[in-house]
Amino acid sequence: MEWKKVRIKTKTTAEDLISGVLYEMGITGIEVEDNIPLSEEDKKAMYIDILPEGKTDDGTAFLSFYVEEGNEGEELIENVYQELNRLKDFADIGEGKIETSYTKEEDWINNWKEFFHQFRIEDLLITPSWETGKKEEAGIGHVVEIDPGTAFGTGKHETTTLAIKGIQKYVKESMKILDVGCGSGILGIVALKYGAAHVTMTDLDEKAIEATPVNMERNHITSDCYEVLLGDIIEEEILNERVRNEGFDLVTANIITEVLLPLTPVIVSTLKRGGIYITSGILIEKIPLIKKKIEEVGFEILEINEMGEWASIVGRKK
């Protein structure tokens, strides 16, 4: 299968703004190329002692994403083009020029290996399947091996990191958990590593349904500990009924605001009284929208956490 690579030329100062807009449009796999020097935190996350000398930062950045060939992909590119023109009216995004090229699926998958390296979130080490070492480092309590393949979710993005931190804090042994929008299955794997008894995962993308069991097996998790369901629990009544009658102890949803708003009333019906709802994927300026919706449907807010441009809200069912 051939994919079209869409590359946007912009400024480093507009990276977060454009990334946020793309994420709101449902584009979650974004490559960022710039020459901003790495911070000490970034260097530690890369687990290498000597870094190559980079080019001088000239303020230029490139943001890239991939679409499948076809009418839907072309329509998405056109929508991105229109959004960039709209941004130019109130923000300096530089050229905002779009370039396209083609790549085969296997090349697209292998390209991620250049950017995804093992890193830690507290006592959790997340490592790509093609890297070894560091697994015995002091202070590591759990290791998750992940290969995102064509289903996104490595844990490195702020939204996933926030969701993982919520899991680390609230998951208890024997919990039954629902993860909506599972991607590569990383949140479900983390929950099981931290003691959950069973995880049900849903996603709209067939590639996520294919990738999740592969990653589960890679982490030595047996099939009786999880199930993966294809579908939309908001719109599909049969799937909605199935999860609504489960009585979950905790639900995670790392999804954009526009989906969290109609999803939240569904989630409250899937949880036991006192159940925990961990949301992420919320742009900071949209915190009030989600907070209001969560409270309206019967949750008390336990905490709101921010990282970069993103936020996570954790609620408990009253």
Side-chain angles (χ1 to χ4, degrees):
M1 178 186 296
E2 281 201 335
W3 294 75
K4 180 174 283 190
K5 180 177 181 179
V6 184
R7 193 167 184 249
I8 302 168
K9 185 176 183 180
T10 183
K11 291 187 170 184
T12 54
T13 52
E15 283 179 10
D16 287 343
L17 175 61
I18 294 177
S19 294
V21 169
L22 295 177
Y23 197 88
E24 292 285 344
M25 297 175 71
I27 302 168
T28 55
I30 303 167
E31 294 178 7
V32 179
E33 303 169 68
D34 59 35
N35 294 312
I36 298 175
L38 293 172
S39 67
E40 289 304 313
E41 183 181 352
D42 290 331
K43 292 175 186 177
K44 290 176 183 176
M46 293 177 73
Y47 286 112
I48 53 178
D49 298 320
I50 301 173
L51 292 166
E53 192 169 315
K55 298 178 182 178
T56 302
D57 180 21
D58 62 358
T60 302
F62 294 91
L63 276 64
S64 301
F65 62 93
Y66 296 83
V67 297
E68 288 188 52
E69 269 287 89
N71 292 335
E72 288 187 11
E74 293 301 325
E75 183 179 348
L76 181 58
I77 295 171
E78 178 59 28
N79 290 340
V80 170
Y81 178 77
Q82 292 176 8
E83 283 298 312
L84 290 175
N85 283 335
R86 184 182 65 82
L87 288 178
K88 288 178 181 178
D89 292 337
F90 64 87
D92 183 6
I93 65 169
E95 290 185 28
K97 180 183 177 182
I98 292 180
E99 299 174 347
T100 60
S101 59
Y102 293 91
T103 182
K104 290 184 178 180
E105 184 167 351
E106 56 267 26
D107 295 334
W108 180 80
I109 294 171
N110 287 328
N111 284 344
W112 280 99
K113 297 181 179 180
E114 182 182 347
F115 302 100
F116 177 29
H117 303 283
Q118 55 185 214
F119 63 99
R120 284 180 66 166
I121 302 175
E122 298 179 8
D123 71 334
L124 173 69
L125 175 68
I126 298 176
T127 180
S129 58
W130 55 88
E131 284 193 6
T132 59
K134 294 290 183 181
K135 296 178 184 178
E136 305 303 321
E137 184 179 287
I140 294 176
H142 302 283
V143 177
V144 169
E145 290 191 10
I146 200 80
D147 186 347
T150 54
F152 297 106
T154 65
K156 187 66 174 173
H157 193 274
E158 290 96 332
T159 59
T160 315
T161 297
L162 285 166
I164 288 173
K165 284 179 175 289
I167 289 170
Q168 288 173 318
K169 182 171 182 177
Y170 290 100
V171 166
K172 295 179 174 58
E173 287 189 8
S174 303
M175 272 189 168
K176 191 161 63 169
I177 292 175
L178 171 66
D179 177 29
V180 182
C182 62
S184 63
I186 186 168
L187 296 186
I189 295 169
V190 172
L192 290 165
K193 292 280 187 178
Y194 278 85
H198 190 273
V199 178
T200 299
M201 293 164 284
T202 71
D203 205 290
L204 299 173
D205 191 340
E206 290 184 4
K207 290 184 173 62
I209 306 304
E210 295 167 2
T212 294
V214 173
N215 284 317
M216 287 286 179
E217 184 177 354
R218 181 171 282 116
N219 286 276
H220 312 292
I221 295 170
T222 56
S223 59
D224 59 314
C225 294
Y226 71 93
E227 64 177 333
V228 192
L229 306 173
L230 177 65
D232 182 348
I233 69 170
I234 300 172
E235 299 292 339
E236 296 177 27
E237 184 59 31
I238 294 176
L239 182 59
N240 183 298
E241 270 188 39
R242 181 168 178 178
V243 298
R244 193 169 60 228
N245 295 329
E246 286 292 326
F248 293 101
D249 299 291
L250 184 147
V251 175
T252 57
N254 179 19
I255 306 177
I256 60 174
T257 298
E258 284 70 19
V259 178
L260 283 173
L261 288 171
L263 175 67
T264 296
V266 175
I267 295 305
V268 73
S269 66
T270 71
L271 278 165
K272 295 177 181 177
R273 183 178 300 175
I276 301 296
Y277 182 31
I278 300 172
T279 69
S280 192
I282 307 163
L283 285 167
I284 287 176
E285 60 265 27
K286 296 192 176 181
I287 289 174
L289 278 174
I290 299 299
K291 181 176 180 291
K292 180 181 178 184
K293 176 61 70 173
I294 288 175
E295 290 175 325
E296 280 179 353
V297 300
F299 290 100
E300 60 174 323
I301 303 296
L302 298 181
E303 56 184 285
I304 299 175
N305 299 299
E306 299 177 5
M307 184 177 290
E309 300 291 317
W310 304 94
S312 169
I313 301 178
V314 180
R316 177 187 286 125
K317 183 175 178 179
K318 295 179 182 178

